[in-house]
Amino acid sequence: NAEGSSSARPSIDEDALLMLCTKDDDAEAFQSLLLNYQPKIYRFLRQLVASDTLAEDLTQDVFLRVWRARK
């Protein structure tokens, strides 16, 4: 049934709600996005660059850009 299949995967609606709250300057919502996505983005970037430090800097840049473009 469709209801059961949607509960087996993470809800996109939760992330959309966090983004909408971030748009309205909700720092806690932004922090939730950061905690959810920072490790994934870091791992992805670490595969592309040869330095842990550079991957960390790029990851921070991603979230800084999200915050600055939130409106």
Side-chain angles (χ1 to χ4, degrees):
N1 91 33
E3 200 173 299
S5 65
S6 67
S7 65
R9 62 174 194 220
S11 173
I12 295 173
D13 294 341
E14 290 176 30
D15 290 338
L17 180 59
L18 288 172
M19 284 301 298
L20 290 171
C21 291
T22 297
K23 179 182 175 200
D24 292 333
D25 299 326
D26 184 334
E28 288 183 27
F30 180 73
Q31 181 70 20
S32 293
L33 288 170
L34 184 102
L35 291 173
N36 290 340
Y37 286 96
Q38 187 176 27
K40 296 172 190 174
I41 291 171
Y42 171 80
R43 283 192 305 271
F44 173 76
L45 291 170
R46 184 59 185 91
Q47 293 175 3
L48 298 177
V49 298
S51 162
D52 288 338
T53 302
L54 181 56
E56 289 170 8
D57 288 348
L58 291 170
T59 301
Q60 287 180 354
D61 189 50
V62 166
F63 286 99
L64 182 59
R65 288 173 184 244
V66 168
W67 181 255
R68 286 181 177 164
R70 70 191 178 279
K71 295 294 182 177

